[in-house]
Amino acid sequence: SAVISQKPSRDICQRGTSLTIQCQVDSQVTMMFWYRQQPGQSLTLIATANQGSEATYESGFVIDKFPISRPNLTFSTLTVSNMSPEDSSIYLCSAAEDRASSGNTIYFGEGSWLTVV
Amino acid sequence: AQTVTQSQPEMSVQEAETVTLSCTYDTSENNYYLFWYKQPPSRQMILVIRQEAYKQQNATENRFSVNFQKAAKSFSLKISDSQLGDTAMYFCALYEAGNMLTFGGGTRLMVKP
């Protein structure tokens, strides 16, 4: 199974600043995704990180606020820009592993718990 | 559009007993995957079990098994011999290959000693 490392695991950020979260997968994966999980809620997809091209954003999320990079098949970053207290959430990176023998499985990183003060 | 519904926001079970968590979904695709994830207080999303839609046989992983009813679009999770460490949020999720993973609202499970 793919192992996903995400950092930082936790941070306290000042209002108005930006923070970049890194996601590293130990194997090449077909798709990578970024999710947000606000306190007490389920996961909401922010965007699909596309290798070598612009990310595909879901409704309610824009590139200026959540720029995403994916320079290769194993690495992606998510930046939360100009943060406000409403951005306090857990941000999770996930990856779709597609094996010929067993099909698709989705794995998650440990999450990055951001608190904006 | 795909949707996933978990109708039980909270459940509890006595240690060593069996509990079943419900999940229904909707998709127009024929090729998809279903997952149950566990999220303990550490917030790590842990894959519990997965099911390929084209397989009729229900998936089983140790104490965890599913009842996959494709026609009814139902995918319930059964936890046998519940343990205190099973206390967590459980999310049902649907994945259409090449698309995105859609989550249900979650069920908070409490295992009581």
Side-chain angles (χ1 to χ4, degrees):
Chain A
S1 63
V3 176
I4 302 176
S5 301
Q6 198 174 325
K7 59 181 182 181
S9 58
R10 185 184 291 256
D11 208 341
I12 299 174
C13 309
Q14 294 295 318
R15 189 189 305 237
T17 63
S18 299
L19 182 79
T20 296
I21 303 167
Q22 297 182 2
C23 178
Q24 178 73 56
V25 189
D26 69 343
S27 60
Q28 292 187 352
V29 290
T30 51
M31 302 185 76
M32 294 181 74
F33 309 92
W34 287 98
Y35 286 86
R36 182 174 74 182
Q37 186 180 27
Q38 296 186 303
Q41 296 188 20
S42 186
L43 282 75
T44 301
L45 180 66
I46 297 172
T48 302
N50 300 310
Q51 192 262 329
S53 65
E54 192 171 288
T56 304
Y57 289 84
E58 297 301 308
S59 176
F61 297 97
V62 295
I63 188 171
D64 290 345
K65 176 66 176 178
F66 298 101
I68 287 170
S69 77
R70 189 180 175 191
N72 56 53
L73 291 174
T74 64
F75 185 78
S76 178
T77 66
L78 166 73
T79 299
V80 186
S81 303
N82 187 25
M83 285 185 282
S84 67
E86 292 72 32
D87 295 319
S88 297
S89 283
I90 297 170
Y91 293 86
L92 295 118
C93 170
S94 74
E97 183 179 68
D98 187 4
R99 294 189 174 186
S101 59
S102 58
N104 287 274
T105 302
I106 314 292
Y107 297 99
F108 283 83
E110 309 97 323
S112 298
W113 197 334
L114 304 187
T115 302
V116 184
V117 298
Chain B
Q2 60 270 41
T3 60
V4 179
T5 303
Q6 293 178 247
S7 59
Q8 305 150 315
E10 293 186 1
M11 293 192 73
S12 64
V13 62
Q14 290 296 131
E15 195 175 8
E17 297 290 307
T18 295
V19 63
T20 299
L21 309 184
S22 301
C23 173
T24 57
Y25 62 93
D26 191 24
T27 176
S28 57
E29 295 292 325
N30 210 31
N31 178 27
Y32 56 90
Y33 300 82
L34 293 159
F35 304 91
W36 277 98
Y37 289 91
K38 170 185 176 181
Q39 189 179 42
S42 67
R43 302 292 183 173
Q44 172 83 52
M45 290 289 285
I46 301 166
L47 178 63
V48 174
I49 198 165
R50 65 189 285 272
Q51 173 82 42
E52 296 100 322
Y54 62 85
K55 287 189 176 180
Q56 292 186 341
Q57 186 174 6
N58 289 325
T60 299
E61 288 286 345
N62 301 313
R63 296 184 295 109
F64 299 89
S65 62
V66 299
N67 183 5
F68 174 47
Q69 301 290 326
K70 189 172 183 178
K73 294 183 178 176
S74 171
F75 183 62
S76 61
L77 173 70
K78 185 171 81 171
I79 306 174
S80 304
D81 186 25
S82 297
Q83 301 176 359
L84 296 178
D86 295 333
T87 293
M89 281 289 289
Y90 287 81
F91 292 98
C92 178
L94 164 69
Y95 179 65
E96 299 168 358
N99 205 331
M100 67 183 207
L101 190 63
T102 302
F103 285 88
T107 297
R108 185 178 302 278
L109 177 66
M110 173 71 70
V111 180
K112 298 179 179 179

